[in-house]
């Protein structure tokens, strides 16, 4: 059913929806939740609001819900005038004209210098007025019906660059509704009213949201996608880049072609479309040509070959020396973000200045910047306060972390991880977390946070002690700290700092690095939803061969191995059996994953960061054997550490972090020195001395793998 020019009253009558009319509102039974007399329509604007289920929208969204399509809406003969509570002045056409006539010469010159002609100034009634105690350029904004709705104010350019609305409290609106209803073949979505007018001066149809880069509404999507070709051109800053990606994702599946225009770096950080045309003298051909990229971007996958773990390690070695297993696993972790629910979590635990944050951040530079979320420091509650978009239906903030890579850098404690446990465990696709917000007026208030999707998480901390519940959710890694690695890192640092510009230019010019970045981009665009295992019996055979005595923690370990298998399959998805958005992992992926697991499994089995397990193997155990299997004091351990590694181990780190973790892992025991009760002697319990038949599980007896039927 297609309806042309129609009012909301006519539409309700046509659909047989009964209503009562009072005080400019139409009150009907809710078509969404079926509650009687709770759906309120504004008879003038067609906007509706259900007082029970909270459903909101206008005649367009209502028609879509009822299976109709409305091409146009009848404009009423009159509208209620908006009144500013502060001054009592009414906003109407006469006020628009009054401000337009008051436009001073120097402001007209300013607008002309921005490429906005006198004809456009007259057509769009740009003006000048004094509001809120200051002088402003007035830009009148029309609503969807073509009726003046409010002023977007821009501060006198000689005084500042503030922007505000008159009256206050106005919701975001499209500036340029007529461009949508004109059925243009091409439409530019830009950021800013004056940028939009400049594009019009070039004969380019354009619209903008009146409230900034991140305020384009989902409800506008259906009207915008009527254009055959949409170009999104936002400002050259972080908000602009995020905003353009957000809009592109909204409209990409609407049957229209979508491209994102990235302004050249010469416009400067924060530069806009006006800078491109006026400052650089740019032209539309380049804007829609070399600076525009189709979204989603196409990648030629014929250039890729099967990539082995050895080849991947060599490419990563261009910037990360040694740490072969660490950089490989970190890459696979970040790549796993592009799966639906097979993301890996990593915790880098090591003392300061060992490079624990360098590895994930360096690898992250290979991935699209919009997928990386790096947090330098975050308290346990602050993580939830400044992210997400408010959702009226849910009465809370939705934080969408789907297919994101989250890197927490040098966190002082792991308390934040406790708040994120359900997310890290992949318990549900959407998790509600309730936190408290403190406000001056209302005191403590509950805030609902809805975490959506699963990110790949990398947590870097100098704190070596980690709760057992977190160890079950993470692969525990530590950067290498041997002398050879440190020497290579120093050479790399000298090379980088001697001429950083030349260093990065030569790095980005490496064909293998370029190809890897293209590969990552292609994997993202493939939008894989599921990865299945082609030969699950091979996993069982390999796992049970290496684990004769099964323990509860093996359930956790097999999950990590499967995630590694899926990450390897994703890396080579073009060379794997594939059905729609599902990839089938093969035996090569299984072999590669077990090869990686074998390299790190020893410390993982004890729930220990490799740094701590290394101290046990290379300091405590040899020192105890050299002493004739007599218990070691803490002082003797620190002295042995200095001899082995050439650096001092702080006594408080040994006492508060290392010894408790080794004791919990069952690798050491402590007893008082018989000759000096003030001292504690530490005795290793070497794994080789523990009988395989003993009750050696953290929660109970082991099960012989020969008894398992696969």
């Amino acid at each position: 059913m297609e309806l042309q020019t129609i009012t909301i009253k006519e539409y309700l009558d046509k659909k047989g929806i009964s209503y009562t009319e009072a005080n400019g509102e139409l009150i009907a039974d809710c078509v969404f939740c079926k509650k009687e007399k709770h759906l309120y329509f504004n008879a003038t604007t067609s906007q509706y609001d259900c007082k029970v289920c909270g459903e909101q929208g206008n005649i367009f969204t209502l028609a879509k819900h009822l299976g109709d399509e409305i091409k146009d809406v009848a404009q009423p003969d009159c509208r209620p005038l908006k009144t500013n509570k502060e001054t009592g002045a009414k906003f109407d056409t006469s006020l628009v004209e009054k401000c337009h006539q008051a436009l001073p010469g120097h402001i007209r010159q300013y607008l002309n210098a921005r490429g906005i002609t006198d004809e456009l100034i007259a057509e769009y009634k740009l003006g000048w007025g004094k509001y809120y105690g200051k002088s402003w350029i007035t830009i009148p904004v029309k609503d969807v019906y073509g009726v003046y709705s409010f002023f977007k104010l821009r501060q006198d350019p000689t005084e500042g660059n503030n922007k505000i609305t008159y009256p206050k409290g106005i919701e975001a609106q499209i500036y340029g509704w007529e461009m949508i209803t004109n059925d243009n073949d091409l439409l530019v979505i830009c950021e800013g009213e004056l940028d939009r007018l400049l594009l019009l001066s070039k004969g380019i149809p354009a619209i903008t949201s009146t409230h900034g880069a991140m305020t384009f509404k989902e409800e506008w999507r259906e009207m915008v996608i009527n254009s055959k070709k949409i170009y999104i051109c936002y400002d050259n800053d972080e908000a602009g880049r995020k905003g353009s990606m957000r809009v592109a994702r909204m409209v990409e599946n609407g049957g229209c072609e979508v491209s994102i225009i990235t302004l050249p770096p010469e416009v400067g950080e924060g530069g806009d479309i006006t800078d491109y045309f006026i400052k650089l003298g740019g032209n539309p051909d380049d804007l829609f040509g070399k600076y525009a990229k189709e979204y989603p971007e196409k990648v030629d996958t014929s250039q890729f070959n099967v990539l082995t773990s050895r080849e991947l390690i060599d490419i990563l070695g261009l910037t990360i020396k040694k740490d072969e297993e660490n950089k490989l696993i970190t890459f696979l972790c970040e790549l796993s973000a592009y799966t639906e629910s097979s993301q890996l979590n990593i915790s880098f635990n090591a003392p300061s200045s060992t490079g624990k944050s360098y590895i994930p951040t360096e690898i992250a530079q290979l991935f699209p910047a919009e997928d990386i979320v790096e947090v330098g420091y975050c308290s346990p509650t602050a993580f939830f306060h400044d992210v997400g978009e408010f959702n009226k239906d849910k009465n809370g903030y939705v934080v969408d972390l789907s297919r994101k890579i989250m890197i927490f850098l040098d966190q002082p404690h792991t308390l934040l991880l406790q708040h994120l446990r359900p997310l890290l465990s992949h318990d549900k696709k959407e998790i509600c977390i309730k936190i408290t917000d403190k406000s001056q007026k209302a005191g403590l208030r509950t805030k609902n946070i809805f975490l959506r999707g699963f990110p790949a998480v990398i947590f870097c901390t100098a704190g070596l002690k980690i709760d057992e519940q977190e160890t079950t959710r993470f692969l525990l890694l530590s950067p290498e700290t041997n002398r050879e690695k440190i020497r290579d890192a120093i050479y790399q640092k000298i090379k980088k700092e001697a001429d950083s510009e030349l260093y990065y230019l030569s790095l980005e010019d490496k064909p293998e690095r370029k190809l890897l970045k293209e590969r990552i981009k292609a994997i993202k665009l493939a939008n894989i939803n599921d990865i299945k295992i082609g030969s699950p019996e091979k996993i069982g055979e390999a796992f049970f061969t290496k684990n004769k005595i099964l323990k509860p923690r093996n359930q956790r370990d097999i999950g990590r191995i499967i995630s590694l298998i899926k990450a390897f399959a994703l890396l080579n998805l073009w060379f794997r059996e594939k059905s729609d958005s599902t990839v089938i992992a093969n035996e090569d992926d299984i072999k590669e994953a077990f090869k990686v697991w074998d390299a790190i499994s020893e410390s993982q089995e004890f729930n220990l960061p490799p740094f701590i397990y290394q101290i046990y193997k290379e300091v405590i155990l040899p020192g105890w054997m050299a002493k004739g299997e007599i218990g070691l004091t803490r002082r003797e351990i620190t002295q042995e550490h200095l001899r082995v590694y050439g650096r001092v181990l702080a006594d408080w780190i040994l006492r508060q972090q290392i010894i408790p973790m080794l004791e919990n892992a069952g690798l050491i025991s402590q007893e008082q020195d018989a000759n000096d009760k003030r001292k504690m002697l530490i005795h290793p319990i070497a794994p080789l001395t523990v009988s395989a038949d003993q009750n050696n599980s953290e929660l109970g007896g082991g099960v012989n793998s020969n008894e398992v039927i696969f």
Side-chain angles (χ1 to χ4, degrees):
M1 177 180 179
E2 186 176 298
L3 304 171
Q4 295 296 326
T5 303
I6 193 169
T7 66
I8 184 62
K9 291 179 67 174
E10 291 170 341
Y11 182 62
L12 293 178
D13 291 339
K14 187 175 285 288
K15 298 299 292 184
I17 299 174
S18 61
Y19 57 86
T20 56
E21 189 169 358
N23 300 320
E25 290 185 314
L26 311 178
I27 307 168
D29 296 346
C30 182
V31 299
F32 302 98
C33 69
K34 310 304 180 185
K35 292 291 184 180
E36 294 184 0
K37 303 301 181 184
H38 279 89
L39 186 61
Y40 286 71
F41 292 89
N42 185 307
T44 302
T45 66
S46 86
Q47 292 179 318
Y48 60 79
D49 178 17
C50 177
K51 305 303 182 184
V52 175
C53 65
E55 195 72 36
Q56 294 179 331
N58 54 31
I59 191 171
F60 294 104
T61 56
L62 178 65
K64 181 181 177 182
H65 175 74
L66 298 176
D68 298 331
E69 182 179 2
I70 293 178
K71 291 295 186 182
D72 197 6
V73 177
Q75 296 183 15
D77 296 331
C78 60
R79 297 297 173 110
L81 299 176
K82 296 177 176 61
T83 301
N84 182 23
K85 295 179 181 178
E86 181 181 294
T87 64
K90 293 179 179 179
F91 183 89
D92 57 12
T93 304
S94 63
L95 182 60
V96 171
E97 186 62 33
K98 179 182 177 181
C99 291
H100 175 57
Q101 295 300 326
L103 185 68
H106 76 281
I107 296 299
R108 184 177 293 273
Q109 291 175 3
Y110 165 75
L111 294 172
N112 291 160
R114 290 186 62 114
I116 302 172
T117 63
D118 288 337
E119 290 76 16
L120 282 170
I121 292 173
E123 182 180 354
Y124 289 93
K125 299 294 182 181
L126 303 188
W128 183 255
K130 190 166 186 177
Y131 300 95
Y132 314 121
K134 295 180 180 179
S135 295
W136 306 83
I137 299 172
T138 60
I139 306 171
V141 179
K142 293 181 179 180
D143 63 17
V144 67
Y145 311 104
V147 176
Y148 286 120
S149 180
F150 63 92
F151 277 141
K152 180 67 181 290
L153 303 177
R154 289 181 65 100
Q155 194 173 5
D156 184 336
T158 62
E159 297 180 4
N161 193 35
N162 292 332
K163 305 175 185 71
I164 198 171
T165 64
Y166 176 86
K168 287 183 178 178
I170 300 294
E171 288 191 5
Q173 179 73 267
I174 282 184
Y175 182 51
W177 280 110
E178 68 276 12
M179 295 294 112
I180 295 174
T181 56
N182 285 347
D183 291 329
N184 295 296
D185 288 342
L186 178 150
L187 182 68
V188 175
I189 302 175
C190 64
E191 184 183 349
E193 295 78 18
L194 297 186
D195 284 352
R196 184 234 166 186
L197 294 177
L198 172 58
L199 287 168
L200 293 184
S201 74
K202 305 288 184 183
I204 302 169
I207 62 170
T208 184
S209 172
T210 56
H211 285 48
M214 299 299 291
T215 59
F216 199 90
K217 295 183 179 180
E218 186 73 40
E219 62 203 60
W220 299 339
R221 174 185 179 275
E222 295 299 322
M223 292 168 272
V224 168
I225 60 176
N226 288 330
S227 301
K228 294 183 178 67
K229 183 80 174 179
I230 294 176
Y231 290 89
I232 304 165
C233 184
Y234 278 16
D235 294 354
N236 187 37
D237 55 21
E238 188 62 24
R241 287 184 282 272
K242 288 182 178 179
S244 61
M245 292 297 296
R246 177 176 174 271
V247 175
R249 285 192 289 268
M250 279 187 192
V251 301
E252 67 171 306
N253 294 320
C256 54
E257 296 179 36
V258 182
S259 293
I260 294 178
I261 296 174
T262 303
L263 295 171
E266 288 79 10
V267 300
E269 180 67 18
D272 56 25
I273 197 70
T274 299
D275 292 315
Y276 173 77
F277 281 112
I278 304 303
K279 178 180 173 182
L280 300 184
N283 62 75
D285 289 341
D286 285 343
L287 194 68
F288 299 118
K290 67 178 183 179
Y291 297 127
K293 286 188 177 180
E294 189 177 351
Y295 181 91
E297 189 178 348
K298 301 290 190 297
V299 178
D300 179 15
T301 59
S302 65
Q303 60 187 320
F304 304 136
N305 296 314
V306 174
L307 187 63
T308 65
S309 58
R310 182 67 261 171
E311 291 168 332
L312 180 56
I313 287 171
D314 291 340
I315 299 171
L316 300 176
L318 292 172
T319 56
I320 305 170
K321 303 305 177 185
K322 307 301 180 183
D323 276 309
E324 294 193 350
E325 288 81 18
N326 286 331
K327 62 192 178 191
L328 176 60
I329 295 170
T330 303
F331 178 89
L332 294 173
C333 171
E334 297 188 16
L335 188 69
S336 71
Y338 299 134
T339 63
E340 190 67 17
S341 58
S342 300
Q343 290 80 0
L344 286 161
N345 302 317
I346 289 176
S347 179
F348 271 98
N349 297 69
S352 300
S353 303
T354 55
K356 57 187 173 294
S357 59
Y358 175 78
I359 295 174
T361 55
E362 192 66 34
I363 291 174
Q365 293 185 36
L366 296 165
F367 289 76
E370 66 270 14
D371 297 334
I372 307 297
V373 181
E374 290 185 358
V375 182
Y377 168 75
C378 192
S379 70
T381 54
F383 174 75
F384 305 106
H385 279 72
D386 296 323
V387 293
E389 297 181 10
F390 186 75
N391 185 301
K392 290 182 180 179
D393 295 335
K394 292 179 176 292
N395 189 31
Y397 291 83
V398 176
V399 182
D400 193 348
L401 299 175
S402 303
R403 300 177 183 255
K404 296 294 183 184
I405 300 166
M406 298 203 64
I407 305 175
F408 294 94
L409 305 174
D410 281 324
Q411 299 297 299
H413 48 67
T414 59
L415 190 56
L416 174 60
L417 297 183
Q418 296 178 21
H419 292 67
L420 295 175
R421 282 173 184 170
L423 176 74
L424 299 171
S425 297
H426 297 186
D427 290 342
K428 289 179 65 179
K429 190 72 174 179
E430 185 171 287
I431 300 168
C432 179
I433 295 177
K434 292 184 178 290
I435 63 172
T436 53
D437 241 347
K438 190 174 183 180
S439 64
Q440 291 181 340
K441 294 183 179 179
L444 291 176
R445 298 178 58 188
T446 300
K447 178 187 284 188
N448 296 317
I449 306 292
F450 296 90
L451 294 180
R452 180 179 295 165
F454 306 124
V457 177
I458 301 177
F459 194 86
C460 306
T461 178
L464 300 176
K465 192 174 181 180
I466 184 168
D467 190 277
E468 185 177 355
Q469 292 195 61
E470 272 64 69
T471 63
T472 63
R473 294 168 170 85
F474 284 88
L475 284 172
L476 303 179
L477 302 180
S478 301
E480 295 177 7
T481 55
N482 57 67
R483 291 184 176 91
E484 186 179 357
K485 182 264 179 88
I486 294 172
R487 182 176 61 250
D488 288 349
I490 290 172
Y491 282 134
Q492 183 81 352
K493 183 77 170 177
I494 294 171
K495 187 178 177 182
K496 183 188 297 185
E497 297 299 328
D499 190 337
S500 58
E501 184 178 358
L502 179 62
Y503 173 83
Y504 285 110
L505 283 174
S506 61
L507 180 64
E508 294 303 322
D509 204 38
K510 300 284 186 185
E512 61 269 41
R513 183 177 171 90
K514 279 184 178 179
L515 198 59
L516 182 57
K517 293 177 79 169
E518 285 291 292
R519 192 185 197 101
I520 293 169
K521 191 184 300 180
I523 291 170
K524 175 185 176 180
L525 295 176
N527 200 27
I528 298 301
N529 287 327
D530 193 17
I531 302 174
K532 297 181 178 179
I533 310 294
S535 305
E537 69 281 357
K538 298 293 183 183
I539 302 176
E541 291 172 8
F543 190 78
F544 294 137
T545 299
K546 298 177 183 295
N547 296 273
K548 298 297 184 183
I549 302 298
L550 301 181
K551 304 164 187 175
R553 65 172 174 244
N554 293 142
Q555 300 174 85
R556 172 203 65 207
D557 295 340
I558 194 63
R560 293 170 176 173
I561 294 170
I562 290 172
S563 291
L564 288 171
I565 293 170
K566 291 183 177 182
F568 274 115
L570 190 64
L571 182 66
N572 290 297
L573 67 93
W574 304 279
F575 310 98
R576 300 293 182 262
E577 185 182 344
K578 190 169 177 283
S579 174
D580 295 327
S581 60
T582 300
V583 174
I584 312 298
N586 63 18
E587 292 185 33
D588 291 338
D589 302 316
I590 295 173
K591 290 176 183 176
E592 290 277 29
F594 271 99
K595 192 191 306 180
V596 172
W597 180 253
D598 289 344
I600 65 169
S601 61
E602 197 172 4
S603 64
Q604 307 300 314
E605 289 177 2
F606 291 105
N607 288 345
L608 292 174
F611 175 81
I612 291 180
Y613 190 60
Q614 186 180 18
I615 289 176
Y616 170 78
K617 288 199 306 179
E618 299 180 2
V619 175
I620 296 176
L621 193 58
W624 174 72
M625 295 176 68
K627 195 179 175 182
E629 300 188 0
I630 298 175
L632 298 170
T633 63
R634 292 200 305 268
R635 180 174 178 80
E636 288 171 334
I637 292 174
T638 56
Q639 288 175 340
E640 183 69 9
H641 184 278
L642 179 62
R643 185 189 69 79
V644 173
Y645 297 120
R647 58 182 183 275
V648 175
L649 175 64
D651 179 72
W652 71 269
I653 293 178
L654 177 65
R655 174 170 43 85
Q656 296 180 12
Q657 299 184 8
I658 297 176
I659 289 177
M661 291 195 72
L662 289 173
E663 196 168 25
N664 289 338
L667 291 175
I668 64 170
S669 63
Q670 295 189 80
E671 64 178 12
Q672 284 185 324
D673 188 341
N675 299 320
D676 188 344
K677 299 294 185 183
R678 295 170 300 175
K679 295 181 181 179
M680 297 296 294
L681 297 180
I682 295 160
H683 295 268
I685 304 175
L688 294 177
T689 67
V690 180
S691 170
D693 296 327
Q694 285 184 325
N695 207 3
N696 194 34
S697 163
E698 66 267 37
L699 295 177
V703 178
N704 195 308
S705 64
N706 294 328
E707 302 170 9
V708 177
I709 300 175
F710 188 76

